[in-house]
Amino acid sequence: MEAEPAPELKTARELLLRAHRVCVLTGAGMSAESGIPTFRDAQTGLWARFNPMQLASPEGFRANPSLVWDWYASRREAMRAVQPNAGHLALARFAHEHPGRLSIVTQNVDDLHQRAGSVDVIRLHGDIMQNSWLDPCPRDPACDTDRATPTRPPRCADCGNPVRPGVVWFGEMLPVAALSAAEQLAQSCDLMLVVGTSGAVYPAAGLAHLARRSGAQVLIVNPEPSEIDDQAHLLLRGTAARLLPLLFNPN
Ligand code: BJW
């Protein structure tokens, strides 16, 4: 006989059943059980070993472009080797079975939601597999990736403009269309499910506040306390790969 679910899980399922529009905000914890390290977990997080301003800011890149390029190259390689976990798959399956009811807004720069089968995922912090130029090119013809030098990082052969990873670093604006679409979802959902984020980084964390102010129920899935727990109507203490399948596909 199957054990009775914990009372919080039962309440969470009821919230989900009642919700017409579910907005899921995910952070690094969503991909942790796939083998991608988080940023701020005390022992295992990237920021326990690396300096965020050195590696994840435009100033850090300008100061030491090859260090930052190599760090992103090694993370790209690690991300190619991992697979979506049961949490990614549960979200994708629910969205497929309930068209139009669930949207995902992610801070993650990996592609595990997409590889699990989720479509129209809003990426707030970019895509680590994409490249862009560090500086906007004022030239005509513009910098040409086909003519980039084979250096680390590659550079425009004409003006030296370096290639950078297509992610959002500290102090940079989030992509306007993505942030605006995410804000609309936060304002119009009746359930916001926040999974695996410390809630330390804005404006992403502000989406939970916005959803709550706009009348949504806020449900947080995280094994540890986060900085936005005070926004939650309900907290589920546990990991994404364990709890999301129980929440979304209980049978
Ligand atoms: C599990 C689990 C399991 C573990 N299952 N869970 C106030 C308002 C607005 C802005 C600011 C503000 N104060 C300061 C700012 C500026 C700044 C900011 O927020 N700084 C804070 C640190 C204070 N924000 C910015 O600069 C943003 N831009 C911006 O605001 O532009 C306007 C502006 C410009 C200039 C001045 C002022 C305003 C840009 C932010 C870009 C963030 N970039 C990064 C790197 C991306 C590229 C890369 O990957 O290298 O994005 S930093 C990093 O943090 C990454 C993440 O997306 C982001 C959030 O981290 P996340 O996902 O929450 O991970 P963790 O590690 O923090 O948490 C993991 C959680 O998972 C934990 O809670 C665990 O318990 C849990 N967990 N295992 C479920 N199995």
PDB file of all heavy atoms in Angstrom, residues 210-240:
ATOM      1  N   LEU A 210       6.174  39.749  -6.850  1.00  0.00           N
ATOM      2  CA  LEU A 210       5.176  40.281  -7.777  1.00  0.00           C
ATOM      3  C   LEU A 210       3.969  39.338  -7.860  1.00  0.00           C
ATOM      4  O   LEU A 210       2.812  39.787  -7.847  1.00  0.00           O
ATOM      5  CB  LEU A 210       5.830  40.453  -9.164  1.00  0.00           C
ATOM      6  CG  LEU A 210       4.957  40.999 -10.278  1.00  0.00           C
ATOM      7  CD1 LEU A 210       4.374  42.363  -9.906  1.00  0.00           C
ATOM      8  CD2 LEU A 210       5.775  41.129 -11.579  1.00  0.00           C
ATOM      9  N   ALA A 211       4.238  38.026  -7.934  1.00  0.00           N
ATOM     10  CA  ALA A 211       3.138  37.064  -8.024  1.00  0.00           C
ATOM     11  C   ALA A 211       2.272  37.145  -6.773  1.00  0.00           C
ATOM     12  O   ALA A 211       1.034  37.172  -6.853  1.00  0.00           O
ATOM     13  CB  ALA A 211       3.701  35.654  -8.201  1.00  0.00           C
ATOM     14  N   ARG A 212       2.906  37.191  -5.628  1.00  0.00           N
ATOM     15  CA  ARG A 212       2.137  37.234  -4.378  1.00  0.00           C
ATOM     16  C   ARG A 212       1.293  38.511  -4.296  1.00  0.00           C
ATOM     17  O   ARG A 212       0.110  38.471  -3.976  1.00  0.00           O
ATOM     18  CB  ARG A 212       3.073  37.114  -3.172  1.00  0.00           C
ATOM     19  CG  ARG A 212       2.280  37.046  -1.894  1.00  0.00           C
ATOM     20  CD  ARG A 212       3.049  36.673  -0.678  1.00  0.00           C
ATOM     21  NE  ARG A 212       2.118  36.788   0.440  1.00  0.00           N
ATOM     22  CZ  ARG A 212       1.955  35.874   1.388  1.00  0.00           C
ATOM     23  NH1 ARG A 212       2.660  34.784   1.379  1.00  0.00           N
ATOM     24  NH2 ARG A 212       1.076  36.049   2.366  1.00  0.00           N
ATOM     25  N   ARG A 213       1.945  39.650  -4.621  1.00  0.00           N
ATOM     26  CA  ARG A 213       1.200  40.929  -4.607  1.00  0.00           C
ATOM     27  C   ARG A 213       0.032  40.907  -5.557  1.00  0.00           C
ATOM     28  O   ARG A 213      -0.971  41.564  -5.357  1.00  0.00           O
ATOM     29  CB  ARG A 213       2.136  42.067  -5.055  1.00  0.00           C
ATOM     30  CG  ARG A 213       2.966  42.699  -3.982  1.00  0.00           C
ATOM     31  CD  ARG A 213       3.395  44.118  -4.354  1.00  0.00           C
ATOM     32  NE  ARG A 213       3.951  44.286  -5.685  1.00  0.00           N
ATOM     33  CZ  ARG A 213       5.213  44.032  -6.027  1.00  0.00           C
ATOM     34  NH1 ARG A 213       6.058  43.577  -5.124  1.00  0.00           N
ATOM     35  NH2 ARG A 213       5.631  44.239  -7.269  1.00  0.00           N
ATOM     36  N   SER A 214       0.173  40.133  -6.649  1.00  0.00           N
ATOM     37  CA  SER A 214      -0.879  40.101  -7.672  1.00  0.00           C
ATOM     38  C   SER A 214      -1.950  39.061  -7.353  1.00  0.00           C
ATOM     39  O   SER A 214      -2.833  38.817  -8.162  1.00  0.00           O
ATOM     40  CB  SER A 214      -0.262  39.792  -9.044  1.00  0.00           C
ATOM     41  OG  SER A 214       0.798  40.675  -9.322  1.00  0.00           O
ATOM     42  N   GLY A 215      -1.822  38.389  -6.210  1.00  0.00           N
ATOM     43  CA  GLY A 215      -2.906  37.504  -5.765  1.00  0.00           C
ATOM     44  C   GLY A 215      -2.641  36.018  -5.949  1.00  0.00           C
ATOM     45  O   GLY A 215      -3.512  35.202  -5.651  1.00  0.00           O
ATOM     46  N   ALA A 216      -1.466  35.641  -6.442  1.00  0.00           N
ATOM     47  CA  ALA A 216      -1.178  34.212  -6.631  1.00  0.00           C
ATOM     48  C   ALA A 216      -0.808  33.553  -5.305  1.00  0.00           C
ATOM     49  O   ALA A 216      -0.311  34.211  -4.389  1.00  0.00           O
ATOM     50  CB  ALA A 216      -0.023  34.046  -7.611  1.00  0.00           C
ATOM     51  N   GLN A 217      -1.047  32.259  -5.239  1.00  0.00           N
ATOM     52  CA  GLN A 217      -0.485  31.449  -4.171  1.00  0.00           C
ATOM     53  C   GLN A 217       0.986  31.197  -4.529  1.00  0.00           C
ATOM     54  O   GLN A 217       1.293  30.970  -5.708  1.00  0.00           O
ATOM     55  CB  GLN A 217      -1.218  30.109  -4.060  1.00  0.00           C
ATOM     56  CG  GLN A 217      -2.657  30.232  -3.613  1.00  0.00           C
ATOM     57  CD  GLN A 217      -2.773  30.605  -2.133  1.00  0.00           C
ATOM     58  OE1 GLN A 217      -2.226  29.920  -1.281  1.00  0.00           O
ATOM     59  NE2 GLN A 217      -3.457  31.707  -1.846  1.00  0.00           N
ATOM     60  N   VAL A 218       1.859  31.231  -3.550  1.00  0.00           N
ATOM     61  CA  VAL A 218       3.286  30.997  -3.814  1.00  0.00           C
ATOM     62  C   VAL A 218       3.730  29.742  -3.053  1.00  0.00           C
ATOM     63  O   VAL A 218       3.545  29.647  -1.836  1.00  0.00           O
ATOM     64  CB  VAL A 218       4.140  32.221  -3.411  1.00  0.00           C
ATOM     65  CG1 VAL A 218       5.629  31.929  -3.624  1.00  0.00           C
ATOM     66  CG2 VAL A 218       3.718  33.456  -4.205  1.00  0.00           C
ATOM     67  N   LEU A 219       4.283  28.799  -3.818  1.00  0.00           N
ATOM     68  CA  LEU A 219       4.722  27.525  -3.257  1.00  0.00           C
ATOM     69  C   LEU A 219       6.212  27.383  -3.552  1.00  0.00           C
ATOM     70  O   LEU A 219       6.626  27.535  -4.702  1.00  0.00           O
ATOM     71  CB  LEU A 219       3.906  26.421  -3.945  1.00  0.00           C
ATOM     72  CG  LEU A 219       4.348  24.969  -3.824  1.00  0.00           C
ATOM     73  CD1 LEU A 219       4.413  24.534  -2.377  1.00  0.00           C
ATOM     74  CD2 LEU A 219       3.354  24.088  -4.584  1.00  0.00           C
ATOM     75  N   ILE A 220       7.004  27.128  -2.518  1.00  0.00           N
ATOM     76  CA  ILE A 220       8.462  27.011  -2.705  1.00  0.00           C
ATOM     77  C   ILE A 220       8.903  25.573  -2.456  1.00  0.00           C
ATOM     78  O   ILE A 220       8.526  24.964  -1.444  1.00  0.00           O
ATOM     79  CB  ILE A 220       9.213  27.977  -1.758  1.00  0.00           C
ATOM     80  CG1 ILE A 220       8.954  29.432  -2.191  1.00  0.00           C
ATOM     81  CG2 ILE A 220      10.721  27.685  -1.742  1.00  0.00           C
ATOM     82  CD1 ILE A 220       9.727  30.489  -1.413  1.00  0.00           C
ATOM     83  N   VAL A 221       9.701  25.045  -3.391  1.00  0.00           N
ATOM     84  CA  VAL A 221      10.313  23.720  -3.231  1.00  0.00           C
ATOM     85  C   VAL A 221      11.817  23.919  -3.093  1.00  0.00           C
ATOM     86  O   VAL A 221      12.476  24.408  -4.022  1.00  0.00           O
ATOM     87  CB  VAL A 221      10.026  22.816  -4.453  1.00  0.00           C
ATOM     88  CG1 VAL A 221      10.830  21.521  -4.375  1.00  0.00           C
ATOM     89  CG2 VAL A 221       8.538  22.509  -4.548  1.00  0.00           C
ATOM     90  N   ASN A 222      12.347  23.563  -1.928  1.00  0.00           N
ATOM     91  CA  ASN A 222      13.772  23.774  -1.682  1.00  0.00           C
ATOM     92  C   ASN A 222      14.146  22.977  -0.432  1.00  0.00           C
ATOM     93  O   ASN A 222      13.416  23.014   0.550  1.00  0.00           O
ATOM     94  CB  ASN A 222      14.039  25.285  -1.457  1.00  0.00           C
ATOM     95  CG  ASN A 222      15.499  25.663  -1.603  1.00  0.00           C
ATOM     96  OD1 ASN A 222      16.374  24.984  -1.088  1.00  0.00           O
ATOM     97  ND2 ASN A 222      15.760  26.768  -2.295  1.00  0.00           N
ATOM     98  N   PRO A 223      15.265  22.285  -0.450  1.00  0.00           N
ATOM     99  CA  PRO A 223      15.630  21.546   0.764  1.00  0.00           C
ATOM    100  C   PRO A 223      16.105  22.459   1.894  1.00  0.00           C
ATOM    101  O   PRO A 223      16.180  22.038   3.040  1.00  0.00           O
ATOM    102  CB  PRO A 223      16.773  20.625   0.296  1.00  0.00           C
ATOM    103  CG  PRO A 223      17.308  21.247  -0.937  1.00  0.00           C
ATOM    104  CD  PRO A 223      16.197  22.033  -1.562  1.00  0.00           C
ATOM    105  N   GLU A 224      16.437  23.708   1.545  1.00  0.00           N
ATOM    106  CA  GLU A 224      16.993  24.646   2.532  1.00  0.00           C
ATOM    107  C   GLU A 224      16.174  25.936   2.531  1.00  0.00           C
ATOM    108  O   GLU A 224      15.496  26.235   1.553  1.00  0.00           O
ATOM    109  CB  GLU A 224      18.443  25.024   2.153  1.00  0.00           C
ATOM    110  CG  GLU A 224      19.412  23.860   2.036  1.00  0.00           C
ATOM    111  CD  GLU A 224      19.682  23.190   3.365  1.00  0.00           C
ATOM    112  OE1 GLU A 224      19.563  23.883   4.403  1.00  0.00           O
ATOM    113  OE2 GLU A 224      19.995  21.988   3.373  1.00  0.00           O
ATOM    114  N   PRO A 225      16.320  26.742   3.594  1.00  0.00           N
ATOM    115  CA  PRO A 225      15.655  28.047   3.575  1.00  0.00           C
ATOM    116  C   PRO A 225      16.186  28.923   2.432  1.00  0.00           C
ATOM    117  O   PRO A 225      17.347  28.795   2.036  1.00  0.00           O
ATOM    118  CB  PRO A 225      16.042  28.662   4.926  1.00  0.00           C
ATOM    119  CG  PRO A 225      16.434  27.517   5.789  1.00  0.00           C
ATOM    120  CD  PRO A 225      17.013  26.476   4.860  1.00  0.00           C
ATOM    121  N   SER A 226      15.322  29.787   1.910  1.00  0.00           N
ATOM    122  CA  SER A 226      15.777  30.733   0.886  1.00  0.00           C
ATOM    123  C   SER A 226      15.449  32.146   1.353  1.00  0.00           C
ATOM    124  O   SER A 226      14.737  32.330   2.341  1.00  0.00           O
ATOM    125  CB  SER A 226      15.084  30.449  -0.455  1.00  0.00           C
ATOM    126  OG  SER A 226      13.784  31.018  -0.468  1.00  0.00           O
ATOM    127  N   GLU A 227      15.960  33.127   0.607  1.00  0.00           N
ATOM    128  CA  GLU A 227      15.757  34.526   1.015  1.00  0.00           C
ATOM    129  C   GLU A 227      14.348  35.018   0.726  1.00  0.00           C
ATOM    130  O   GLU A 227      13.993  36.128   1.102  1.00  0.00           O
ATOM    131  CB  GLU A 227      16.796  35.426   0.322  1.00  0.00           C
ATOM    132  CG  GLU A 227      18.191  35.112   0.790  1.00  0.00           C
ATOM    133  CD  GLU A 227      19.233  36.115   0.346  1.00  0.00           C
ATOM    134  OE1 GLU A 227      18.878  37.252  -0.049  1.00  0.00           O
ATOM    135  OE2 GLU A 227      20.430  35.765   0.387  1.00  0.00           O
ATOM    136  N   ILE A 228      13.550  34.194   0.015  1.00  0.00           N
ATOM    137  CA  ILE A 228      12.188  34.635  -0.298  1.00  0.00           C
ATOM    138  C   ILE A 228      11.131  33.737   0.360  1.00  0.00           C
ATOM    139  O   ILE A 228       9.983  33.731  -0.043  1.00  0.00           O
ATOM    140  CB  ILE A 228      11.950  34.748  -1.823  1.00  0.00           C
ATOM    141  CG1 ILE A 228      12.449  33.497  -2.548  1.00  0.00           C
ATOM    142  CG2 ILE A 228      12.603  36.009  -2.378  1.00  0.00           C
ATOM    143  CD1 ILE A 228      12.123  33.507  -4.042  1.00  0.00           C
ATOM    144  N   ASP A 229      11.556  32.992   1.382  1.00  0.00           N
ATOM    145  CA  ASP A 229      10.586  32.121   2.071  1.00  0.00           C
ATOM    146  C   ASP A 229       9.413  32.917   2.635  1.00  0.00           C
ATOM    147  O   ASP A 229       8.310  32.388   2.747  1.00  0.00           O
ATOM    148  CB  ASP A 229      11.277  31.350   3.213  1.00  0.00           C
ATOM    149  CG  ASP A 229      12.073  30.151   2.685  1.00  0.00           C
ATOM    150  OD1 ASP A 229      12.115  29.955   1.451  1.00  0.00           O
ATOM    151  OD2 ASP A 229      12.664  29.424   3.515  1.00  0.00           O
ATOM    152  N   ASP A 230       9.664  34.178   2.998  1.00  0.00           N
ATOM    153  CA  ASP A 230       8.561  34.967   3.559  1.00  0.00           C
ATOM    154  C   ASP A 230       7.460  35.259   2.525  1.00  0.00           C
ATOM    155  O   ASP A 230       6.373  35.684   2.881  1.00  0.00           O
ATOM    156  CB  ASP A 230       9.094  36.289   4.152  1.00  0.00           C
ATOM    157  CG  ASP A 230       9.793  37.158   3.110  1.00  0.00           C
ATOM    158  OD1 ASP A 230      10.117  36.642   2.014  1.00  0.00           O
ATOM    159  OD2 ASP A 230      10.020  38.345   3.376  1.00  0.00           O
ATOM    160  N   GLN A 231       7.740  35.008   1.263  1.00  0.00           N
ATOM    161  CA  GLN A 231       6.726  35.216   0.219  1.00  0.00           C
ATOM    162  C   GLN A 231       5.839  33.985   0.033  1.00  0.00           C
ATOM    163  O   GLN A 231       4.849  34.023  -0.687  1.00  0.00           O
ATOM    164  CB  GLN A 231       7.389  35.552  -1.125  1.00  0.00           C
ATOM    165  CG  GLN A 231       8.172  36.839  -1.112  1.00  0.00           C
ATOM    166  CD  GLN A 231       7.297  38.012  -0.715  1.00  0.00           C
ATOM    167  OE1 GLN A 231       6.246  38.244  -1.307  1.00  0.00           O
ATOM    168  NE2 GLN A 231       7.726  38.745   0.315  1.00  0.00           N
ATOM    169  N   ALA A 232       6.239  32.865   0.651  1.00  0.00           N
ATOM    170  CA  ALA A 232       5.556  31.600   0.367  1.00  0.00           C
ATOM    171  C   ALA A 232       4.311  31.409   1.226  1.00  0.00           C
ATOM    172  O   ALA A 232       4.326  31.673   2.430  1.00  0.00           O
ATOM    173  CB  ALA A 232       6.515  30.441   0.598  1.00  0.00           C
ATOM    174  N   HIS A 233       3.232  30.927   0.592  1.00  0.00           N
ATOM    175  CA  HIS A 233       2.093  30.450   1.356  1.00  0.00           C
ATOM    176  C   HIS A 233       2.370  29.037   1.857  1.00  0.00           C
ATOM    177  O   HIS A 233       1.835  28.618   2.870  1.00  0.00           O
ATOM    178  CB  HIS A 233       0.838  30.444   0.477  1.00  0.00           C
ATOM    179  CG  HIS A 233       0.421  31.814   0.032  1.00  0.00           C
ATOM    180  ND1 HIS A 233       0.867  32.394  -1.132  1.00  0.00           N
ATOM    181  CD2 HIS A 233      -0.393  32.724   0.625  1.00  0.00           C
ATOM    182  CE1 HIS A 233       0.325  33.604  -1.243  1.00  0.00           C
ATOM    183  NE2 HIS A 233      -0.435  33.820  -0.192  1.00  0.00           N
ATOM    184  N   LEU A 234       3.220  28.314   1.119  1.00  0.00           N
ATOM    185  CA  LEU A 234       3.514  26.925   1.488  1.00  0.00           C
ATOM    186  C   LEU A 234       4.948  26.594   1.089  1.00  0.00           C
ATOM    187  O   LEU A 234       5.386  26.916  -0.024  1.00  0.00           O
ATOM    188  CB  LEU A 234       2.538  26.004   0.742  1.00  0.00           C
ATOM    189  CG  LEU A 234       2.593  24.523   1.077  1.00  0.00           C
ATOM    190  CD1 LEU A 234       2.219  24.276   2.539  1.00  0.00           C
ATOM    191  CD2 LEU A 234       1.640  23.739   0.172  1.00  0.00           C
ATOM    192  N   LEU A 235       5.663  25.930   2.019  1.00  0.00           N
ATOM    193  CA  LEU A 235       7.051  25.516   1.748  1.00  0.00           C
ATOM    194  C   LEU A 235       7.114  24.000   1.712  1.00  0.00           C
ATOM    195  O   LEU A 235       6.651  23.342   2.638  1.00  0.00           O
ATOM    196  CB  LEU A 235       7.962  25.985   2.890  1.00  0.00           C
ATOM    197  CG  LEU A 235       8.185  27.483   3.044  1.00  0.00           C
ATOM    198  CD1 LEU A 235       8.734  27.799   4.436  1.00  0.00           C
ATOM    199  CD2 LEU A 235       9.169  27.968   1.992  1.00  0.00           C
ATOM    200  N   LEU A 236       7.704  23.454   0.640  1.00  0.00           N
ATOM    201  CA  LEU A 236       7.962  22.013   0.597  1.00  0.00           C
ATOM    202  C   LEU A 236       9.452  21.833   0.737  1.00  0.00           C
ATOM    203  O   LEU A 236      10.220  22.247  -0.136  1.00  0.00           O
ATOM    204  CB  LEU A 236       7.500  21.395  -0.724  1.00  0.00           C
ATOM    205  CG  LEU A 236       5.998  21.278  -0.987  1.00  0.00           C
ATOM    206  CD1 LEU A 236       5.766  20.532  -2.301  1.00  0.00           C
ATOM    207  CD2 LEU A 236       5.281  20.580   0.148  1.00  0.00           C
ATOM    208  N   ARG A 237       9.876  21.220   1.839  1.00  0.00           N
ATOM    209  CA  ARG A 237      11.304  21.018   2.095  1.00  0.00           C
ATOM    210  C   ARG A 237      11.740  19.706   1.462  1.00  0.00           C
ATOM    211  O   ARG A 237      11.403  18.625   1.958  1.00  0.00           O
ATOM    212  CB  ARG A 237      11.569  20.958   3.597  1.00  0.00           C
ATOM    213  CG  ARG A 237      11.477  22.301   4.272  1.00  0.00           C
ATOM    214  CD  ARG A 237      12.787  23.070   4.122  1.00  0.00           C
ATOM    215  NE  ARG A 237      12.614  24.430   4.635  1.00  0.00           N
ATOM    216  CZ  ARG A 237      12.650  25.522   3.875  1.00  0.00           C
ATOM    217  NH1 ARG A 237      12.851  25.456   2.582  1.00  0.00           N
ATOM    218  NH2 ARG A 237      12.503  26.718   4.416  1.00  0.00           N
ATOM    219  N   GLY A 238      12.483  19.796   0.372  1.00  0.00           N
ATOM    220  CA  GLY A 238      12.959  18.592  -0.299  1.00  0.00           C
ATOM    221  C   GLY A 238      13.512  18.983  -1.645  1.00  0.00           C
ATOM    222  O   GLY A 238      13.521  20.169  -2.016  1.00  0.00           O
ATOM    223  N   THR A 239      14.002  18.009  -2.372  1.00  0.00           N
ATOM    224  CA  THR A 239      14.679  18.334  -3.622  1.00  0.00           C
ATOM    225  C   THR A 239      13.713  18.285  -4.805  1.00  0.00           C
ATOM    226  O   THR A 239      12.658  17.642  -4.755  1.00  0.00           O
ATOM    227  CB  THR A 239      15.845  17.361  -3.889  1.00  0.00           C
ATOM    228  OG1 THR A 239      15.308  16.074  -4.197  1.00  0.00           O
ATOM    229  CG2 THR A 239      16.777  17.271  -2.692  1.00  0.00           C
ATOM    230  N   ALA A 240      14.149  18.918  -5.880  1.00  0.00           N
ATOM    231  CA  ALA A 240      13.312  19.026  -7.080  1.00  0.00           C
ATOM    232  C   ALA A 240      13.043  17.651  -7.697  1.00  0.00           C
ATOM    233  O   ALA A 240      11.907  17.336  -8.056  1.00  0.00           O
ATOM    234  CB  ALA A 240      14.017  19.933  -8.094  1.00  0.00           C
TER     235      ALA A 240
END
